[in-house]
Every structure is written in structure tokens, then in C-alpha cells.
Amino acid sequence: DVCSSDLFSVFVKRDVISKLNNTQYLLINALEAPVLAFILAFMTRYQLSNQSYTFYHNKNLVAYIFMSVIVALFLGLTVSAEEIFKDRKIRKREAFLNLSRGAYLFSKIFILFVISALQTFFFVAIGNYIIGFKEMFFEYWMMLFTVSLFANALGLNISSAFKSAVTIYIIIPFLIIPQLLLSGLLVKFDELNPSLAAKSIVPKSGEIMASRWAFEALVVNQFINNNYQKNIYTFEKEIINASFRKGLWYNKMMDLLNNKDAISQQIIQNELSDAGYKNASIGRIDVETAKSFIANVKQANNEIYKKYTDSLDNYYSQFSGNEVQKLAFEQSKMQFHNARIEELVKNSRPLEEGIYIESNRLHPNENNIYFNASDKHQIRSHFYAPKKY
């Protein structure tokens, strides 16, 4: 009798030898990631006319990050799609020996994970170097690696489910295309077919897409935690939250208090409850008491706004008096921050009102990156939320 751990070692050794003896397989899988990284990064390395390249002005950085996620999916799928299928004859013979299927599957998973780790490592090393990333190597590698792991598992499933290599490769586009369409980038989630669309939270169709989670995580992390933005993000977040509460939210609440319809009453109750008003859900709301509470919310947010505006001004002032420090600060912005990512995660909609109603609650129509997810939806949240429950 052979124990499962010994079988695992045998299966790994057999698979590794088989792959090492396949020169074409080795070349394709060794060169695929570096070549794709070079092509993608080189083609998206945008720079302003007659100026040297700067990370800040690269308009294609969002496209590069998104395509990196899709490449990770593609690599993970193609490397695993035939792994079980090609062994079907061997497995039939081994079935008579009652050899552990678990050991066989774990050997496949182990080898694929090692291959995916190396492929994504070289992809990030080459692509991010050409694009000009000066930080976050581990974060990018880890996210693309986990996407490839998901694709490995998906590939192994279709490899075991179908009896023809042609069928397997025909099915791959059906797995990739939804990841493209429902990532939240190519088509905004609130602009999908109305039966699928949502705005205040990511729709369910987007929640099950690995591409959406990976892309969102990368751009949110890139915006919040780069060496330039991380020093001012907290100030900006408090300023924008307070500005929303003392401005758009206050004005909308005052308008709703003048309406007597049931929907307006429900919105008022929900918003007052969220803001800490203890009697919001008990019968009809006393208008004068509610107005007084809302005015207090506005006053409190005026103070928060002033506090963090002063703090941000003080932070900037340390660079204004010294030309060397001022130049270093500006260079930091050019090297680590990106205008296109900022535009994306702030989600500015100049032709629309800055506040909207969905699910009987008020929501900001821009600056998604500065508003934490509501605990009303548990793990679900709006797109580009900086924190989720």
C-alpha cells in the first residue's frame, strides 16, 4: 500500500518530468508572460508630446491594470485547461489500482500554482517596470497570482468535465467574456441592462466576477496607498464626507421634509436613523425636531470640514517655503500618483446631480473612493469603496 503523501510525490515527479520533456510546452509557458507583459506595457506607455514620460500623465494606466487582470485569467486558464483531459487514458488504467484521486488532483494543483506564481511574477516584474511603477510590486503580484489561481481551478474543472480538447477551447471565451463585460470598467454597473444594473451597490452579476474584485482592489490600492496620496487621503476623505453631509445631504433632507408622501417619509427615517437620530423609526417624524437634528448634523460637519481643511493646508504649507522640498513633493506626485486613476475612482459626473436616491436612501453621486461601504448590505458595497464590511 502506498500512502497519499507518497503518491502525491510520485504524481508531481511524473508530471514535472513530462513537462520538462515537452520543449514546446516549456517555451510557450516560459515566454508567454514576459512577452505579453512587454507588449502590453510598451503599447500603453503613453507620454505627452515633446515631454519625458511621467507616471502621472499616463492615460492608459487603467487599461494596463485591467488588461493585466485579464492576462492573469488567460494564463491561468490556458495552462490548466487540458491538464486532466490529457491524462484520461492514464487515469483509466490507474483506476483499477485504486490510486488516490485526491493525491492526483493535489499534484496538479501544486504544479499549476507554481507555474502561475512564476508567470505572474515575471509579468509584474517586466510590465510594471516598463510602465513605471516604483512601488507595490508584492500587491500587484499577489493579486494577479490569486486571479491565476482562480483560473487554474476553473481550467481544471472544464478539463475534467469535457471529453474533447476542441470543446474545452471553445468554452474558454464563454468564461472570459463575462469577466470582461462585468468587471465594472467596460460597462458601468448602473448602465447595464436594467434587470442587472445597480448603482449604490455592485450588482450580483458583478459580485461573482473575479475580474471585478481584482481590478477594483488594484486601482483602489493604487490610489489610496501610493507614496504621494497616502499622506493626504485621510484629510481629503474627511473633507469630502463632511462637505457632502453639510451641503447636498442637508439640502436634500430639508426638501424631503416638505414632502408628505410615504417614500419621502421612509427616506427621511432611514437617513436620520443612519445619522444617529434615535426616534427616526417610530411613527411619523416630527418635522421641527428633525430639522433641528439635521441642522446639528450640518453644524458638526462644518466643524469637521474646517478642522481637516486646516490640517491639509498645514500639510501643504511645509512644502511651500522650501524650493527643494516643493520640487520633491511635485516629483512624488509625478512618480507615484496617476491622474486617470484619480478620475476613475472619484467617479465625477458633472452633468448629473451630486446626490441620488436608491433603495430609499441618499447616496453621493461622485467621490466613491472616499465613502466607506454601508453596513446595511453586509459584504456588498458600492464600486471603488475604500473599506468593506
Side-chain angles (χ1 to χ4, degrees):
D1 292 339
V2 182
C3 69
S4 293
S5 60
D6 290 336
L7 273 176
F8 171 78
S9 301
V10 170
F11 285 137
V12 169
K13 185 177 180 180
R14 182 179 71 183
D15 213 356
V16 169
I17 292 172
S18 173
K19 285 175 169 51
L20 290 175
N21 289 332
N22 189 337
T23 307
Q24 191 175 53
Y25 177 92
L26 283 176
L27 282 174
I28 290 173
N29 284 287
L31 296 176
E32 194 173 21
V35 170
L36 286 173
F38 176 81
I39 292 171
L40 179 60
F42 181 78
M43 293 181 71
T44 55
R45 187 182 161 94
Y46 170 83
Q47 64 187 67
L48 298 174
S49 300
N50 302 321
Q51 293 188 26
S52 59
Y53 175 80
T54 59
F55 185 80
Y56 178 82
H57 290 115
N58 189 343
K59 295 180 179 181
N60 297 321
L61 193 62
V62 170
Y64 170 80
I65 293 173
F66 176 68
M67 287 307 300
S68 296
V69 172
I70 301 304
V71 166
L73 280 168
F74 175 77
L75 291 174
L77 269 173
T78 55
V79 80
S80 61
E82 282 193 64
E83 282 297 303
I84 295 176
F85 168 79
K86 68 181 176 62
D87 289 345
R88 65 195 185 283
K89 292 181 179 178
I90 298 174
R91 291 301 299 162
K92 279 184 180 180
R93 292 197 299 268
E94 291 176 345
F96 292 104
L97 301 174
N98 293 321
L99 299 181
S100 170
R101 180 170 170 80
Y104 169 77
L105 291 174
F106 277 114
S107 71
K108 288 290 183 185
I109 292 168
F110 174 76
I111 292 170
L112 290 173
F113 282 14
V114 171
I115 293 171
S116 291
L118 292 172
Q119 285 183 322
T120 49
F121 177 88
F122 287 114
F123 181 91
V124 174
I126 293 171
N128 284 24
Y129 174 77
I130 294 171
I131 283 290
F133 287 92
K134 298 184 182 299
E135 54 185 354
M136 300 183 187
F137 177 89
F138 177 79
E139 289 91 332
Y140 276 89
W141 172 75
M142 178 55 73
M143 182 53 63
L144 296 185
F145 176 43
T146 54
V147 170
S148 273
L149 300 190
F150 162 78
N152 289 158
L154 201 57
L156 287 174
N157 273 281
I158 63 173
S159 180
S160 65
F162 298 101
K163 298 179 180 180
S164 164
V166 174
T167 306
I168 290 170
Y169 285 102
I170 286 175
I171 207 75
I172 285 178
F174 288 94
L175 301 174
I176 292 288
I177 290 172
Q179 299 284 346
L180 290 165
L181 188 61
L182 296 171
S183 63
L185 179 66
L186 298 185
V187 181
K188 290 184 177 181
F189 286 130
D190 58 317
E191 295 174 358
L192 290 167
N193 183 299
S195 63
L196 299 174
K199 191 171 183 178
S200 60
I201 56 173
V202 173
K204 291 178 181 178
S205 56
E207 296 283 20
I208 60 174
M209 293 297 143
S211 58
R212 167 255 161 158
W213 287 98
F215 173 72
E216 181 185 29
L218 288 173
V219 293
V220 167
N221 185 61
Q222 180 62 46
F223 177 79
I224 293 176
N225 294 318
N226 71 72
N227 278 346
Y228 168 80
Q229 184 69 27
K230 68 182 180 182
N231 298 312
I232 59 176
Y233 175 78
T234 301
F235 301 137
E236 290 182 343
K237 182 178 180 181
E238 294 293 339
I239 290 168
I240 286 171
N241 274 264
S243 180
F244 174 74
R245 284 283 177 180
K246 74 185 185 68
L248 292 168
W249 184 86
Y250 172 83
N251 294 334
K252 193 69 174 180
M253 288 292 287
M254 287 301 187
D255 289 341
L256 290 170
L257 282 170
N258 295 325
N259 298 331
K260 305 301 179 182
D261 60 277
I263 293 177
S264 295
Q265 289 291 311
Q266 185 61 57
I267 295 169
I268 292 166
Q269 286 183 351
N270 290 339
E271 289 297 317
L272 290 179
S273 178
D274 291 347
Y277 185 62
K278 294 181 180 179
N279 299 318
S281 59
I282 304 174
R284 290 186 63 83
I285 295 169
D286 180 74
V287 174
E288 293 306 316
T289 306
K291 283 184 177 179
S292 175
F293 179 82
I294 293 168
N296 289 336
V297 171
K298 179 180 181 179
Q299 179 58 36
N301 280 279
N302 274 327
E303 293 172 4
I304 294 171
Y305 181 86
K306 184 178 185 307
K307 173 186 174 182
Y308 283 94
T309 301
D310 290 344
S311 297
L312 186 58
D313 289 341
N314 289 335
Y315 175 78
Y316 283 134
S317 67
Q318 65 181 306
F319 304 106
S320 59
N322 186 308
E323 285 300 320
V324 175
Q325 287 186 332
K326 184 178 180 180
L327 180 61
F329 182 71
E330 287 300 319
Q331 287 178 338
S332 171
K333 184 176 183 179
M334 294 297 109
Q335 291 177 347
F336 301 109
H337 198 57
N338 182 262
R340 181 69 183 90
I341 287 182
E342 180 178 1
E343 177 188 335
L344 179 75
V345 297
K346 287 186 176 181
N347 193 35
S348 179
R349 299 178 182 227
L351 300 180
E352 299 182 28
E353 188 180 1
I355 192 170
Y356 68 94
I357 297 170
E358 188 173 278
S359 303
N360 290 330
R361 277 187 164 82
L362 301 178
H363 305 277
N365 209 19
E366 57 185 0
N367 292 316
N368 289 6
I369 193 70
Y370 294 108
F371 292 92
N372 287 347
S374 168
D375 61 356
K376 306 301 177 186
H377 304 293
Q378 302 302 320
I379 63 170
R380 301 183 69 190
S381 71
H382 61 275
F383 204 30
Y384 305 128
K387 291 185 179 179
K388 295 178 173 64
Y389 284 87

